[in-house]
Amino acid sequence: FFRFFPNNIHSNMAAASPPMKLFMKTGCPFCSKLACFLGEANLMDKVSFEPDDEANRAYVTEKCGKASFPALEYEPGSVMLETDDIIKKFCDENNVDCANLSGWQFIFGPEEDKTMFKTHIKLFKYGMKNAGGYAELIALLNKPDDA
């Protein structure tokens, strides 16, 4: 996931306000959902991506009682969970209507049970079950195609 978002993604941004920290987990379908939304809504400059590492996992757990991703630190020391709640926050604060995002509608809605995302979730769960868990699935997906 993070290979698509270089560490210096914010190096050319105007210094209006510091971006919010967005804790993301590689391979997580809900993190993918949020990243797709931010991209199509042109809001990537509102966040700095933080990987799922030991320190960030401990921080999110301390603030929320569990490590769950994605997680948004919307102000210092205040972290929220739940993908749809985070998306709603960005929509409300930036006057974005998901109904006007054609790519979003194609992938995620409005009938969530009949979308590409629903298929993605099913494939992810199937892969986790058959690979033996999340870490094993990610390791399998990161192997070269010819391995």
Side-chain angles (χ1 to χ4, degrees):
F1 178 79
F2 289 99
R3 66 177 164 245
F4 300 109
F5 301 104
N7 292 337
N8 64 353
I9 191 169
H10 300 289
S11 62
N12 296 324
M13 291 183 349
S17 64
M20 294 177 270
K21 289 183 181 178
L22 184 58
F23 300 92
M24 301 284 268
K25 185 175 186 174
T26 302
C28 168
F30 298 102
C31 293
S32 296
K33 179 179 183 178
L34 181 53
C36 287
F37 164 76
L38 291 170
E40 188 167 3
N42 200 26
L43 298 174
M44 288 288 205
D45 63 337
K46 303 288 184 185
V47 299
S48 65
F49 290 91
E50 300 291 331
D52 173 21
D53 61 24
E54 194 173 317
N56 286 336
R57 184 172 281 271
Y59 182 76
V60 171
T61 300
E62 173 191 330
K63 298 299 176 188
C64 299
K66 65 179 181 176
S68 182
F69 298 91
L72 177 70
E73 184 175 48
Y74 55 94
E75 59 185 45
S78 297
V79 178
M80 65 185 294
L81 305 175
E82 301 303 327
T83 308
D84 291 336
D85 293 343
I86 295 170
I87 290 170
K88 182 176 182 338
K89 176 178 181 50
F90 280 108
C91 286
D92 292 348
E93 292 179 358
N94 296 281
N95 198 29
V96 173
D97 181 354
C98 287
N100 295 327
L101 303 176
S102 59
W104 174 263
Q105 290 300 312
F106 178 72
I107 296 169
F108 299 104
E111 296 181 58
E112 189 172 299
D113 64 328
K114 298 178 181 177
T115 64
M116 288 178 67
F117 185 66
K118 185 68 170 188
T119 302
H120 181 85
I121 293 292
K122 286 181 180 179
L123 287 170
F124 186 76
K125 288 179 179 179
Y126 177 83
M128 281 187 27
K129 178 181 175 186
N130 288 293
Y134 174 81
E136 294 81 4
L137 175 60
I138 297 304
L140 178 68
L141 293 174
N142 285 328
K143 282 185 180 178
D145 288 338
D146 58 352

